[in-house]
Amino acid sequence: MASPVVSLKDITKTYHNGDIAVEVLHGISLDIEAGEFVAIIGQSGSGKSTLMNILGCLDQPTSGDYLLDGEHVSGFTADALAALRRRTFGFVFQNYNLIPTASAQENVEVPAVYAGLSLRDRQERAETLLTSLKLGDRLDHRPNQLSGGQQQRVSIARALMNGGRIILADEPTGALDSQSGEDVMALLRKMNEDGHTIIVITHSREIAEQADRLIELRDGRIISDRTKKGRSNPEAAGVLARQMGEGAAALADVSEAVKMAVRALRANLFRTILTLLGIVIGVGSVVAMLAIGTGAQNSVLDRISSMGSNLLIVRPNMANFRGGEGGSIVSLVPADADAILEVPNVAFAVPEMTSTVTVRYGNIDYQTTVNGTVPQFTEAKSWKVGAGEFINPRDMSTYAPVAVLGQTVAKKLFADGESPLGKYVLVSKIPFQIIGVMSEMGAGPGGNDQDDTVLIPLTTGSNRLFGQRNVRTITVQVEDGSAIDATQTAIQGLLDQRHKREDTQIVNMASIREAVTETSNTLKLFLAAVAAISLLVGGIGVMNIMLVSVSERTREIGVRMATGARQRDILLQFLIEALVVSAVGGAIGVVAGLGTGVLAKALGAPISFTLGPVVLAFACSFLTGLVFGYLPARNASRLQPAVALSSE
Ligand code: ADP
Ligand code: MG
């Protein structure tokens, strides 16, 4: 008939243990036809398992030729070998090698996952197989909930899942009681009658005698090869060979990998939570810190904007001030404001004189800042009068002793419900009548309380309170904001000419805004760097747990490879596991970060949530998982199947 399905020519295998090389197989030559039922017998240590690993393409021979269906296997790539294991072989192991965290049905489905069978089809087929092996009522049991005989039947179902044209069974009855052992042998016999090629490895002559052909191995050599009986069903074997196979080898379901990852992570819940924590803290702090940083920046910028963008602030420049005649430090004077008003494009020029004073009402003393100014003050500063009225031009010309209180001062001096309007207060022992109360302004750009002030006419102030004629600031509002730079230059020129020296400086709101933005961006960058470091620490945690996970589950990796997983399937599985940890951690971290922000907001801090940091932090955590999960996943995928399977 046709050429043998398996043909070994002079196969040797040498194991290297450090410097010591041990040859375990010394030139094995062997042909096996499709549909044969072969037992390979030999004492423990004679090389049976080594031979089986080579037959099943779990390991490579050191020398010799292995032809499978007439093709040289030695030239196959890792993926091609995986495809062979997936399509051609079904393995049954002495210790069953089931995945402990998966149910019986899921264990049986594994080879079909790698063959790209749809979820529905593979569930159906697994159920059918298990039912035919009398395990229909054990589908959801985990391996540790099954007896040895039942576990071995699950592993037989798994071997048949993708067809199992050649079944390789290494001591399949070794761990079973005699009854279960007989059941397993009966199953193998039945499978052989259905057309499967069966190769059983055993040290028991009794088991071996049940096969049709007996090959005896001693110390890595075949010492006898005896055929007792022809093939049971050679025709069926031919049919089986044609039936099995698969379409394009699809990448195993990503959703399947996610499911497996979640299960593996749940199996070590506490460890997973600790790893998550690293990511949660990292992502949470990125989100919270940037929300707080952005919030602080926005609130400062808002206050600057509320003052209007067309403002110039003129101040004495102490740095350039070299002392005037008589040692007076007078530089800006009220007359400068009048002069500035003549400059084109200037709408207002509002001078302010300030002094720290004690204000008294009844028996309450309160120390505050008195601010001598002009009627245009409210308009120039976009500041509204809450009650009563503001200083008017007549107050200016008559040097009227009238005052307008800031909210803070009004609250300090007057009890709830008592209207300050019309009352008299002593400002530095001089009585002033209150004509108005300002509406609330809140904190200024520097964090100072802008409501902690008393406003009086500039004329009254300079005449009766300040005793000097220097002006602290002149606030200038321009008409056309686009020409603000030219106006600034014009005013500076005017002042330098009037003072005959450069003793004033002008700042515009745009430059203040810029400075604030710059400082707070630096701060945000610093916060983000701190957060990024904690994310890095979280990433190292992920890497650590993945390395542990891989070394703990080496045998599982071996089982998956034996059932046909490609290297990239294993890589993907562990990578997805790392990604699941960091994505879950990232999601919790985002929620925690936003929660912290909401809490801080409730406590009164200015908070600004933007999508950017949330997306950034989540993306970072995802990337962390990818980068730090890659190395362990790659290690796992490069394991030799036979080595992985023999790990403890
Ligand atoms: P059997 O399955 O017949 O009991 P094995 O094929 O497992 O025998 O082992 C044959 C010989 O090879 C034994 O002497 C064993 O110690 C040795 N051996 C098996 N696997 C390895 C390995 N990975 N490294 C080194 N020596 C090995
Ligand atoms: Mg063995």
Side-chain angles (χ1 to χ4, degrees):
M1 233 191 87
S3 61
V5 58
V6 165
S7 178
L8 301 183
K9 290 201 177 70
D10 213 16
I11 292 286
T12 70
K13 178 71 186 177
T14 304
Y15 286 116
H16 295 272
N17 264 340
D19 291 342
I20 310 158
V22 182
E23 193 176 83
V24 173
L25 297 178
H26 318 282
I28 302 273
S29 296
L30 177 66
D31 284 345
I32 296 173
E33 308 275 342
E36 277 197 284
F37 189 166
V38 183
I40 297 175
I41 188 172
Q43 286 173 344
S44 177
S46 55
K48 305 183 298 293
S49 296
T50 306
L51 180 59
M52 190 197 91
N53 286 342
I54 290 171
L55 282 173
C57 299
L58 296 170
D59 206 352
Q60 305 271 358
T62 308
S63 71
D65 292 323
Y66 177 10
L67 282 82
L68 188 75
D69 294 323
E71 276 191 276
H72 278 277
V73 167
S74 59
F76 280 29
T77 62
D79 274 2
L81 290 173
L84 268 187
R85 292 193 288 269
R86 196 159 59 237
R87 292 173 202 169
T88 307
F89 296 109
F91 294 93
V92 179
F93 301 95
Q94 176 174 2
N95 51 14
Y96 331 124
N97 273 339
L98 299 176
I99 296 167
T101 50
S103 71
Q105 184 171 4
E106 287 163 337
N107 264 290
V108 176
E109 285 176 38
V110 170
V113 170
Y114 297 120
L117 208 63
S118 77
L119 179 67
R120 210 193 147 90
D121 289 348
R122 64 177 188 250
Q123 281 181 339
E124 215 165 89
R125 179 159 167 79
E127 193 175 334
T128 311
L129 279 170
L130 283 168
T131 307
S132 74
L133 294 174
K134 303 197 181 62
L135 285 171
D137 54 347
R138 295 284 189 279
L139 298 179
D140 297 327
H141 285 53
R142 296 201 188 289
N144 63 4
Q145 298 168 321
L146 297 169
S147 73
Q150 288 169 330
Q151 288 188 64
Q152 196 58 299
R153 275 183 282 154
V154 172
S155 89
I156 288 172
R158 181 179 63 192
L160 291 173
M161 188 65 187
N162 283 353
R165 186 151 66 87
I166 305 173
I167 301 286
L168 292 166
D170 190 351
E171 308 266 11
T173 62
L176 300 178
D177 58 272
S178 56
Q179 181 57 48
S180 306
E182 272 170 40
D183 291 348
V184 165
M185 286 311 290
L187 271 172
L188 292 177
R189 164 60 67 192
K190 173 155 186 316
M191 284 152 64
N192 178 243
E193 280 162 8
D194 290 345
H196 297 269
T197 306
I198 312 281
I199 304 173
V200 182
I201 283 167
T202 180
H203 65 273
S204 150
R205 192 154 292 274
E206 199 183 328
I207 299 286
E209 288 296 344
Q210 298 180 38
D212 299 337
R213 177 178 168 192
L214 234 123
I215 297 168
E216 195 165 347
L217 213 61
R218 186 179 295 164
D219 295 333
R221 288 193 176 82
I222 294 177
I223 56 163
S224 82
D225 186 345
R226 178 163 59 96
T227 303
K228 301 197 310 192
K229 169 171 171 278
R231 288 180 285 170
S232 300
N233 195 350
E235 296 79 22
V239 173
L240 197 67
R242 260 171 273 130
Q243 273 176 352
M244 297 309 163
E246 67 190 79
L251 200 69
D253 255 351
V254 169
S255 70
E256 188 66 21
V258 171
K259 202 171 94 187
M260 290 188 291
V262 169
R263 177 178 297 147
L265 293 169
R266 271 224 312 256
N268 285 300
L269 200 57
F270 188 62
R271 198 166 77 183
T272 305
I273 287 171
L274 289 181
T275 312
L276 278 181
L277 208 59
I279 299 280
V280 168
I281 292 172
V283 171
S285 51
V286 170
V287 171
M289 283 183 173
L290 287 181
I292 291 167
T294 311
Q297 184 181 35
N298 285 352
S299 93
V300 170
L301 290 179
D302 278 354
R303 270 178 228 143
I304 293 172
S305 298
S306 76
M307 291 180 212
S309 54
N310 294 350
L311 292 186
L312 293 172
I313 295 171
V314 185
R315 288 203 182 98
N317 186 351
M318 300 316 269
N320 279 1
F321 189 73
R322 271 172 249 100
E325 309 86 78
S328 155
I329 58 154
V330 172
S331 57
L332 273 181
V333 293
D336 287 331
D338 298 332
I340 290 170
L341 213 46
E342 304 300 314
V343 174
N345 196 28
V346 170
F348 311 108
V350 178
E352 292 173 59
M353 284 182 168
T354 57
S355 173
T356 303
V357 293
T358 302
V359 184
R360 165 170 283 201
Y361 177 69
N363 56 2
I364 306 172
D365 276 348
Y366 182 66
Q367 194 165 44
T368 184
T369 308
V370 70
N371 192 347
T373 188
V374 296
Q376 294 89 340
F377 176 87
T378 46
E379 210 164 337
K381 296 232 173 182
S382 316
W383 200 356
K384 291 188 178 54
V385 179
E389 52 194 53
F390 199 70
I391 300 157
N392 63 36
R394 228 176 70 84
D395 297 330
M396 292 291 287
S397 55
T398 59
Y399 301 85
V402 293
V404 179
L405 303 187
Q407 281 282 339
T408 304
V409 179
K411 279 177 196 151
K412 290 281 183 206
L413 296 182
F414 293 89
D416 272 351
E418 185 183 4
S419 169
L421 297 180
K423 306 276 164 47
Y424 283 88
V425 290
L426 294 176
V427 179
S428 289
K429 301 196 177 94
I430 301 160
F432 277 76
Q433 188 176 26
I434 298 167
I435 55 168
V437 178
M438 302 305 289
S439 61
E440 189 161 326
M441 272 297 275
N448 56 315
D449 180 4
Q450 299 185 99
D451 299 309
D452 192 2
T453 187
V454 173
L455 300 158
I456 59 169
L458 181 72
T459 49
T460 321
S462 67
N463 223 19
R464 306 187 58 179
L465 267 182
F466 303 123
Q468 57 180 16
R469 290 178 43 80
N470 66 318
V471 170
R472 196 175 66 115
T473 64
I474 299 173
T475 304
V476 178
Q477 178 151 35
V478 299
E479 262 153 12
D480 175 9
S482 62
I484 194 163
D485 289 341
T487 311
Q488 180 175 345
T489 314
I491 295 172
Q492 187 72 67
L494 173 77
L495 290 174
D496 291 349
Q497 190 197 348
R498 279 173 62 86
H499 295 194
K500 312 258 184 322
R501 60 189 175 208
E502 292 172 14
D503 61 354
T504 56
Q505 65 171 3
I506 305 175
V507 287
N508 60 47
M509 294 317 278
S511 69
I512 293 179
R513 231 186 131 85
E514 221 165 81
V516 168
T517 307
E518 210 166 281
T519 330
S520 66
N521 278 349
T522 312
L523 185 74
K524 274 203 286 187
L525 205 68
F526 175 72
L527 291 178
V530 170
I533 288 169
S534 56
L535 206 58
L536 183 77
V537 173
I540 293 170
V542 170
M543 181 136 138
N544 185 30
I545 198 149
M546 291 316 298
L547 284 170
V548 171
S549 182
V550 166
S551 65
E552 272 181 0
R553 285 151 65 205
T554 308
R555 190 194 284 263
E556 177 192 321
I557 295 165
V559 173
R560 290 185 182 280
M561 287 174 158
T563 55
R566 278 148 292 211
Q567 292 189 336
R568 67 167 179 272
D569 293 325
I570 301 293
L571 181 79
L572 191 75
Q573 186 192 336
F574 282 91
L575 212 51
I576 282 180
E577 214 169 294
L579 285 181
V580 166
V581 179
S582 32
V584 169
I588 298 175
V590 165
V591 171
L594 293 179
T596 309
V598 168
L599 196 75
K601 195 169 191 159
L603 294 176
I607 298 296
S608 172
F609 293 114
T610 43
L611 194 61
V614 173
V615 173
L616 184 86
F618 193 76
C620 278
S621 75
F622 208 73
L623 209 68
T624 306
L626 203 65
V627 170
F628 288 93
Y630 180 76
L631 189 76
R634 201 200 54 176
N635 286 352
S637 73
R638 295 203 175 164
L639 285 168
Q640 271 289 320
V643 174
L645 272 171
S646 64
S647 90
E648 282 314 309

